[in-house]
Amino acid sequence: MYLAIREMRFAKGRYALIATIMVLVSFLVLFVTGLAQGLSYDNAASIKNMDATHFVLEQDSNHRFTRSQVGQQELDEARSVVGQDHAEPLGIRMTTVSPANDTTKIDVTLFMVNPGSWLTPTVTEGQAINDQSTGQVVVDQKLAKSGVTIGTVLVDQASGTEWTVSGFVQNESFSHAPVVFLNEQEWLALQAGSRTVQATSATDGAVTETGTDAELTPVYNAIAVKGADDQVSSLSAALPKTEIITKSEAVSAIPGYKEEQGSLLMMIAFLYVISAFVLAVFFYVITIQKTSQFGILKAIGTRNGYLAGSVSLQVMLLSVGSLVISVLLVRLFESVLPASMPFELGLSTLALTCVLFILMSMAGSLFSVWKVTKIDALDAIGRTAA
């Protein structure tokens, strides 16, 4: 330890250069990791926030909510297996809305949930909706940036349905679109409206009769379930024409999620490799330059373990020091980043990233450690004398 610190104090410029490069690389690793986590959460926040353990989807829907349709029969069967309060219907639809008397178009995701159930998010501003609420919805806080306030009337571009915003929720998004929550009554009205449009188109403008019992039969995209593994097994047997997936599988199946995260994770992996490679090159060059000094130290009886430990300690100090500076810089950048840029770096992710960076740095120093142990004292001294 004495040798490592004394050498770093003697060659301040050399080690300051290495530390600067490590700060830049570690900052980039932390920043891209935070960006990956932020995009991951923004893409699937509403699903991740749910207490559901599994979802029941239509067979052959490839784990995607938007490709699935399940009905009341499947819901009743699921409730009979896992319990009345442990299965809830979930409707999901992507659409575009505009504030009334405004040309602004906003891409949103409609979520049908039963108000008061464990799928319902907590309202942070305004009033929550209930089963009897007509023409009212609660929306994600991101819509406020588009001028939406409590009392704003939103018009669905596809069906022409109008909803009044009664409250706001936070951190609720799906496929990077803010979520609009509505009750089953509004969901049925939306389905009936869509069928009316389809029927009108099929008869060349002649409006067909709507509102029958068959047309108002609720159709959901999934059934959210809270259940143990044995209950899920029983549910699979009771609903053979469905597929039951876990929450993580549902998140991974969101369009673009795996591709987006795969690209970012590959970038992070390459940054780890680059950091280890850069550190290995720097310390290997330094080790070669100090071959004669290491040879003299070996000649006077210094053990290989002590010299190798000195090199490893230098790498450890530089890694930890650069990470401390990088964490401070990342937190500073996080405080000034625009709210539209999703960024999330929790303590657990931060700790894991720092540990991995230190391990990769230590791995990068192994080549220099091996070189130190292979230095021959007499040969090194001989070259110096020559």
Side-chain angles (χ1 to χ4, degrees):
M1 183 173 182
Y2 172 78
L3 177 62
I5 296 176
R6 183 176 179 83
E7 185 179 6
M8 293 177 68
R9 292 176 59 186
F10 177 77
K12 296 184 181 68
R14 177 188 299 171
Y15 287 97
L17 178 61
I18 300 176
T20 301
I21 294 175
M22 291 184 67
V23 167
L24 295 175
V25 174
S26 59
F27 170 79
L28 192 56
V29 169
L30 290 172
F31 189 81
V32 176
T33 300
L35 185 62
Q37 292 294 314
L39 288 171
S40 171
Y41 186 72
D42 186 69
N43 202 353
S46 293
I47 303 301
K48 290 183 177 182
N49 292 341
M50 290 180 179
D51 292 332
T53 58
H54 296 78
F55 294 93
V56 179
L57 275 66
E58 184 181 8
Q59 196 173 36
D60 299 325
S61 60
N62 293 328
H63 297 184
R64 293 195 175 183
F65 292 112
T66 53
R67 296 179 180 176
S68 170
Q69 287 189 339
V70 293
Q72 188 66 41
Q73 181 178 353
E74 287 82 4
L75 177 61
D76 293 339
E77 189 68 34
R79 284 176 169 171
S80 67
V81 175
V82 300
Q84 187 72 19
D85 297 330
H86 291 164
E88 289 292 336
L90 175 64
I92 298 176
R93 177 182 293 189
M94 308 288 293
T95 189
T96 301
V97 298
S98 295
N101 303 321
D102 195 337
T103 58
T104 303
K105 294 185 178 181
I106 311 169
D107 293 328
V108 300
T109 303
L110 304 178
F111 266 45
M112 188 287 298
V113 297
N114 285 328
S117 69
W118 44 269
L119 287 182
T120 307
T122 302
V123 175
T124 57
E125 182 181 353
Q127 294 182 345
I129 58 175
N130 54 50
D131 292 332
Q132 305 303 319
S133 298
T134 303
Q136 292 187 342
V137 293
V138 294
V139 303
D140 183 69
Q141 190 69 41
K142 296 184 184 69
L143 287 179
K145 300 171 188 174
S146 300
V148 176
T149 60
I150 295 177
T152 296
V153 176
L154 299 177
V155 182
D156 180 25
Q157 296 289 299
S159 65
T161 306
E162 296 185 355
W163 300 297
T164 301
V165 177
S166 65
F168 285 104
V169 294
Q170 286 187 339
N171 300 324
E172 295 292 340
S173 57
F174 181 87
S175 194
H176 295 302
V179 171
V180 173
F181 290 90
L182 43 82
N183 58 21
E184 187 169 341
Q185 181 179 346
E186 292 300 319
W187 182 256
L188 289 174
L190 190 64
Q191 289 181 341
S194 299
R195 292 170 189 173
T196 299
V197 173
Q198 293 173 357
T200 302
S201 175
T203 56
D204 294 328
V207 179
T208 60
E209 182 181 359
T210 61
T212 65
D213 292 339
E215 290 175 323
L216 294 179
T217 300
V219 177
Y220 314 112
N221 294 97
I223 300 171
V225 174
K226 285 197 302 183
D229 292 339
D230 57 337
Q231 291 179 316
V232 173
S233 299
S234 301
L235 190 59
S236 298
L239 296 172
K241 295 184 179 180
T242 63
E243 58 182 31
I244 301 177
I245 62 175
T246 62
K247 184 191 290 189
S248 60
E249 290 174 333
V251 169
S252 298
I254 295 175
Y257 182 89
K258 289 191 295 186
E259 294 77 7
E260 179 183 85
Q261 291 299 302
S263 299
L264 290 170
L265 289 176
M266 183 174 293
M267 290 174 59
I268 295 171
F270 271 109
L271 286 173
Y272 279 121
V273 174
I274 290 171
S275 64
F277 182 77
V278 169
L279 194 65
V281 170
F282 267 97
F283 270 89
Y284 184 71
V285 171
I286 292 175
T287 301
I288 292 176
Q289 292 175 343
K290 298 188 300 183
T291 299
S292 59
Q293 290 92 325
F294 283 127
I296 294 172
L297 289 172
K298 283 190 174 184
I300 63 176
T302 306
R303 293 176 289 106
N304 280 331
Y306 181 82
L307 297 177
S310 176
V311 174
S312 299
L313 181 60
Q314 288 177 349
V315 175
M316 176 68 74
L317 292 175
L318 289 173
S319 301
V320 173
S322 63
L323 280 172
V324 171
I325 298 175
S326 298
V327 169
L328 295 177
L329 288 175
V330 166
R331 291 308 185 192
L332 177 62
F333 269 75
E334 185 179 2
S335 64
V336 299
L337 285 176
S340 58
M341 179 179 289
F343 186 89
E344 184 177 337
L345 193 61
L347 291 178
S348 58
T349 303
L350 178 63
L352 178 60
T353 304
C354 291
V355 170
L356 288 176
F357 185 82
I358 292 175
L359 291 177
M360 290 301 294
S361 299
M362 297 303 296
S365 69
L366 293 179
F367 196 42
S368 298
V369 171
W370 173 81
K371 181 64 176 178
V372 169
T373 61
K374 294 300 181 181
I375 293 175
D376 182 80
L378 294 177
D379 185 45
I381 296 173
R383 284 202 303 269
T384 303

